[in-house]
Amino acid sequence: MNRLLLLALSIYLSSATSKADVKSWPQWRGPDASGHAFEGKFPAEWSANKNLIWKTSLPGRGHSSAVHENGLIWITTALETPASEKEKQERLKANDGLSTVTVLSEVSLRALQVEPKTGKILQNIEVIRKKQPQWVHHLNSYASPSPVIEANRLYLHFGAYGNACLDSSSGEIIWKNTQKELWVMHENGPGSSPIIFENLLIFHLDGSDKQSVVALYKDTGKIAWQTKRSGKMKENPQLQKSYSTPIVETLNGQPVLISCGADWVYGYNPRNGAELWKINYGVLGFSNVARPIIGHGMFYISTCFMKAEIHAYRYQGLEKPELAWKMIKGAPKMPSPILVGKQLYVINDGGILTCVNAISGDLIWRERIGGEFSASPIYANGLLYFSNRDGKTIVIKPGKELNVIAENTIDGTAHMASITPFQNSFLLRSEEGLYRIGKK
């Protein structure tokens, strides 16, 4: 009898662990970076008085999305000490880029653990402190890259300011890497989120001065490889920077890191950083933010600034991917596209939502849904969720025509971070704080 009970308990725990793993959200845009949520009963409607489980005020400011594993929720933030007007004017004499920037005297880069039932901040850990940090664009923050959580480890990337690994239970800092070799001039602040591949933490460092892709050993934080961008770019340094996040996909039986930089999309061997191929956009493309997505034997990217285009590249059976089709109207500079079946949905920064056939690129419909957008959409419960800078989340049902299900506002402040599914709820970050949206 005891043996039977132990066997039953073992099977139950194994099943519970499997389900917990399936329902984790370890990185920006989810386990496979598709933006597709796991199965759950997610809300379609919410407000300050409806389907709100809790709200918590987060110290500081940030645009990163929350990640979670085994019930542990983490998010990053930056405590900002503004520069005096005199210091600001003096430092901005060296600014060759945009004037719409925030200048600080000091920044404290932090990791926050949030209790899932109440929203209480359990841990507030300073990871890196920097005096006179680079300025950031007013649409960006010092804590925009989302962390990665895996196997009781939280991996943090703050762009040129450094990287760190924490124990996701205790909050202990296991390692930090702030090497000068990993310093670049972002111009508009850090934006690229890191990813995990096998034993490596991989991220982009595409500044106006230097551009490379970097891998650190995730157990020590030491550099495993660093590969410089090889594609010829425009002479103006402001047109050489990028903020995109890479994705690893198996192409013809081999893992390939698909990586968007200024003017080029690259394919690298993620194990050693060797460049496998590169493809020029054919148009000016820089300050890339949107992340590539995969489907139907193709990958889809946005060229981003200045006039964005969506490019679809076919790779199955090919030594080097080939352009299958492109969309030159209504493409995003910041939000990532999302696939639902054979339909590709693209929200651009100005609030125009486009649906095209993902295989042929043929237009199905294009409608304005309003607002300005930076966050990337998610797909959950058969619905698409688009959050904008006006603090509104527009919910639509995918199909052959625009079908708006709901328009939800919680506090009226900008949603710059992408929504994170958690159990049967959403973790929604606004400029006011972090909300858990769902039924109590």
Side-chain angles (χ1 to χ4, degrees), residues 74 135 179 359 380:
W74 286 88
W135 47 79
Q179 287 180 250
I359 298 170

Side-chain angles (χ1 to χ4, degrees), residues 277-299:
W277 45 260
K278 63 177 179 285
I279 303 169
N280 188 268
Y281 301 144
V283 296
L284 176 63
F286 69 101
S287 288
N288 315 72
V289 179
R291 189 176 189 181
I293 57 168
I294 308 291
H296 308 295
M298 294 190 279
F299 62 85

Side-chain angles (χ1 to χ4, degrees), residues 60-214:
R61 196 170 73 91
H63 295 163
S64 63
S65 297
V67 296
H68 61 84
E69 180 185 60
N70 296 328
L72 300 175
I73 300 171
W74 286 88
I75 198 165
T76 61
T77 192
L79 300 187
E80 302 178 349
T81 303
S84 67
E85 190 61 30
K86 182 180 179 181
E87 180 187 355
K88 177 181 176 182
Q89 294 302 323
E90 186 64 29
R91 290 177 57 198
L92 285 180
K93 290 178 181 179
N95 180 16
D96 295 324
L98 299 171
S99 60
T100 50
V101 294
T102 299
V103 183
L104 300 185
S105 176
E106 186 175 63
V107 66
S108 173
L109 303 170
R110 293 173 173 262
L112 307 175
Q113 185 189 1
V114 180
E115 208 284 321
K117 292 183 179 180
T118 64
K120 179 182 177 182
I121 296 175
L122 298 175
Q123 299 193 71
N124 181 346
I125 301 165
E126 181 177 82
V127 181
I128 295 168
R129 180 177 287 266
K130 180 72 176 177
K131 291 184 179 295
Q132 293 195 321
Q134 299 173 22
W135 47 79
V136 299
H137 192 274
H138 73 96
L139 288 178
N140 196 13
S141 76
Y142 288 90
S144 289
S146 298
V148 181
I149 189 167
E150 180 200 61
N152 204 38
R153 294 289 182 266
L154 181 74
Y155 299 93
L156 304 163
H157 173 66
F158 293 104
Y161 303 115
N163 308 273
C165 173
L166 275 61
D167 183 299
S168 60
S169 295
S170 69
E172 176 192 359
I173 297 176
I174 296 169
W175 58 256
K176 280 199 286 188
N177 184 323
T178 56
Q179 287 180 250
K180 291 181 179 180
E181 292 90 337
L182 304 181
W183 181 262
V184 298
M185 179 56 184
H186 290 298
E187 299 289 348
N188 295 323
S192 175
S193 294
I195 68 169
I196 292 289
F197 174 77
E198 295 180 352
N199 65 331
L200 302 173
L201 178 71
I202 302 175
F203 50 87
H204 290 173
L205 285 175
D206 287 310
S208 60
D209 52 349
K210 296 179 289 185
Q211 303 83 32
S212 67
V213 184
V214 181

